[in-house]
């Protein structure tokens, strides 16, 4: 399912309903990206984080996308979470080069989808002998847009504390050109991820309207207490911002410990009729100063039982975030296979 398929839909709601129907009611999102890039040999000790590989190792980016597709992901996210024009300029790149790199993040994901479809056509069955999923199916490419805190690379996307100088206008101006570029990059949708506060959610929604963005989007928040978003803002109020925007096709939670997800789904359900997306981290906590994760997460075996409960509670797009792997996504895919209506 490419961009032409998406543009044929008359609205964001029809896009996601049609896609979920083709997926059997539940779609699988990919998993952690930086962890996998490092496993493939990338050095991400850089303010650009995984976006650094757009410059140094684009073949690794493509390889990770393919790993997730072969694990059963129906939606793959571009490696643009921490890619900003401002961040690339700080590394000495021109505006033109910076904009080209942003677009390239989506192009690489689309290339991976094409390669995957070719492998599916060449395969004699839906699953290879080594457990790879080789099934021709609708696949969406989402252009990832991280928060302002992700650009700062100081861990503030996990606190939402930007200071008094950062207001609505500042955030809209910061994101405007990047959102416009990614919306016209060939992606099927825009993924506003790890949104830490209500102010930035409002900025994203207003940008969609002000820039007359045609590409639909999802809005995904993070929480550290299972009640509010990380800034302390009400999750219900944040989710309601997504509900109010017709260009937002789904609302949900990412990069949040699995143990909090069920209550967060129930909270979101109270304020939205849109599909709910859930892609938690492994449960480990991140130290933004030391750039380290604590080794306290759940195993893939422990992750999967959560998934069934999340879907029963109302989630219809499920995957993983930081520190989850293709093995996690493969386990989710297998767990959901018996429950899908296809």
């Amino acid at each position: 399912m490419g961009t032409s398929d998406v543009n044929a839909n008359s609205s964001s709601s029809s896009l996601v309903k049609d896609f979920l129907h083709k997926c059997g009611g539940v779609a699988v999102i990919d998993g952690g990206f930086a962890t996998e890039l490092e496993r493939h040999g990338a050095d991400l000790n850089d303010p650009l984080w995984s976006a650094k590989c757009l410059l140094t190792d684009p073949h690794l980016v493509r390889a990770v996308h393919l790993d997730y597709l072969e694990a059963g992901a129906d939606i793959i996210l571009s490696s643009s979470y921490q890619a900003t024009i401002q961040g690339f300029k700080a590394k000495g790149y021109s505006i033109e080069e910076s904009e080209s790199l942003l677009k390239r993040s989506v192009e690489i994901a689309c290339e991976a989808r094409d390669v995957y479809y070719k492998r599916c056509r060449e395969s004699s069955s839906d699953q290879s002998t080594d457990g790879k999923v080789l099934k021709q199916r609708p696949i969406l490419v989402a252009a990832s847009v991280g928060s302002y805190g992700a650009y700062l690379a100081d861990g503030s996307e996990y606190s939402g504390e930007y200071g008094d100088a950062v207001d609505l206008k500042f955030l809209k101006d910061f994101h405007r050109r990047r959102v416009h570029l990614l919306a016209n990059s060939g992606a099927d949708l825009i993924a506003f991820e790890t949104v830490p506060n209500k102010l930035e959610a409002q900025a994203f929604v207003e940008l969609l309207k002000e820039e007359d963005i045609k590409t639909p989007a999802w809005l995904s928040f993070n929480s550290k207490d299972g009640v509010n978003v990380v800034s302390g803002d009400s999750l219900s109020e944040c989710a309601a911002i997504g509900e109010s925007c017709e260009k937002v096709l789904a609302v949900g939670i990412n990069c949040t410990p699995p143990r909090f997800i069920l209550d967060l789904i129930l909270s979101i359900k109270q304020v939205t009729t849109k599909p709910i997306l859930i892609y938690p981290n492994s449960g480990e906590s991140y130290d933004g100063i030391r750039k380290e994760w604590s080794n306290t997460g759940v195993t893939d075996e422990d992750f999967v039982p959560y998934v069934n409960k999340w879907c029963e509670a109302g989630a219809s797009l499920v995957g993983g975030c930081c520190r989850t792997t293709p093995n996690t996504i493969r386990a989710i895919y297998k767990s959901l296979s018996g429950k899908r209506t296809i």
Side-chain angles (χ1 to χ4, degrees), residues 43-263:
D43 177 9
L44 302 184
N45 185 21
D46 189 280
L48 292 175
W49 200 38
S50 57
K52 176 188 176 186
C53 288
L54 293 170
L55 300 161
T56 59
D57 302 288
H59 64 289
L60 296 185
V61 175
R62 190 179 301 105
V64 172
H65 286 316
L66 277 165
D67 286 346
Y68 279 116
L69 291 171
E70 292 177 343
D74 304 305
I75 303 173
I76 55 174
L77 279 71
S78 66
S79 57
S80 50
Y81 173 79
Q82 209 148 317
T84 64
I85 296 170
Q86 297 90 335
F88 285 131
K89 284 178 65 180
K91 300 290 288 186
Y93 291 88
S94 69
I95 291 178
E96 291 77 14
E97 290 169 329
S98 301
E99 293 182 349
S100 178
L101 284 165
L102 273 174
K103 294 177 184 176
R104 186 70 185 126
S105 69
V106 173
E107 290 170 358
I108 293 172
C110 291
E111 289 167 5
R113 177 172 59 184
D114 290 343
V115 171
Y116 177 76
Y117 280 152
K118 183 174 184 291
R119 292 181 182 178
C120 289
R121 289 192 298 270
E122 294 171 347
S123 175
S124 58
S125 68
D126 286 352
Q127 190 159 319
S128 66
T129 55
D130 56 359
K132 293 179 180 178
V133 177
L134 295 171
K135 182 179 180 181
Q136 190 83 24
R137 62 190 187 279
I139 293 168
L140 297 182
V141 170
S144 172
V145 176
S147 67
Y148 175 63
Y151 155 73
L152 295 176
D154 61 359
S156 58
E157 75 259 50
Y158 302 110
S159 71
E161 297 173 0
Y162 294 162
D164 295 337
V166 176
D167 58 13
L168 185 64
K169 181 181 183 302
F170 178 95
L171 289 173
K172 286 196 291 186
D173 289 344
F174 175 82
H175 288 295
R176 190 178 305 275
R177 181 60 181 161
R178 174 197 193 190
V179 169
H180 183 81
L181 282 166
L182 289 173
N184 292 281
S185 64
D188 298 303
L189 59 97
I190 303 169
F192 294 120
E193 302 188 88
T194 326
V195 183
N197 54 45
K198 188 165 67 172
L199 183 69
E200 197 151 23
Q202 189 65 41
F204 286 139
V205 164
E206 290 189 14
L207 275 180
L208 291 175
K209 297 174 182 176
E210 290 174 10
E211 296 297 308
D212 193 25
I213 300 297
K214 305 298 185 193
T215 307
W218 78 42
L219 199 57
S220 185
F221 302 91
N222 56 337
S223 173
K224 57 187 176 185
D225 62 6
V227 178
N228 302 305
V229 299
V230 292
S231 65
D233 290 341
S234 161
L235 173 61
S236 295
E237 292 179 9
C238 289
I241 292 173
E243 172 68 13
S244 69
C245 179
E246 63 181 16
K247 296 175 185 287
V248 173
L249 56 77
V251 179
I253 294 289
N254 75 291
C255 213
T256 295
R259 66 184 183 276
F260 293 145
I261 297 299
L262 184 59
D263 287 343

